[in-house]
Amino acid sequence: MIDYSLVNIDFGAEGSSEIYQNLKTLYTTPAGTVPFDRDFGINIELLDAPIPLAQGRLIVEYTEKTEKYEPRASVKEVNFEVNPKSGKLIPKVVIEIVPES
């Protein structure tokens, strides 16, 4: 599971630590904010959709972006903490490190 709390970037990270760090960067970056790669990040416009629709679209977004930007990992499942009264939606992305061939 990716922890979304703020941490310092470890420029010397290797192996699974590097993969988790890369995914955290990917998952916490709004799409369209990275010059020369506007597709990098997660489409935050999804968050304006009704909760069930946003959940479905976010699952697809996390899966496709992980496959594209960090092929050393695969998304196993995406769970959500939902507060329907406040509309707060907190994704929990469970990943698996893909064994090297």
Side-chain angles (χ1 to χ4, degrees):
M1 182 166 26
I2 301 298
D3 176 12
Y4 289 94
S5 61
L6 295 176
V7 296
N8 294 325
I9 295 174
D10 178 4
F11 291 101
E14 296 179 1
S16 61
S17 295
E18 179 186 22
I19 294 168
Y20 289 125
Q21 183 172 267
N22 292 347
L23 290 173
K24 182 175 181 178
T25 300
L26 175 64
Y27 297 162
T28 58
T29 301
T33 62
V34 176
F36 303 110
D37 192 354
R38 299 294 183 186
D39 192 44
F40 185 87
I42 302 301
N43 181 356
I44 61 172
E45 291 178 13
L46 301 174
L47 300 179
D48 288 334
I51 289 176
L53 184 60
Q55 287 174 309
R57 288 183 178 173
L58 281 170
I59 291 170
V60 171
E61 187 84 355
Y62 287 123
T63 303
E64 289 179 351
K65 296 293 176 85
T66 299
E67 188 176 296
K68 179 176 180 178
Y69 289 103
E70 188 49 88
R72 298 176 292 174
S74 66
V75 174
K76 298 316 288 175
E77 63 183 273
V78 181
N79 301 304
F80 297 91
E81 284 182 30
V82 180
N83 183 331
K85 289 184 180 180
S86 69
K88 191 172 186 177
L89 181 66
I90 301 172
K92 304 286 184 180
V93 182
V94 179
I95 62 120
E96 177 178 68
I97 304 297
V98 176
E100 294 183 35
S101 309

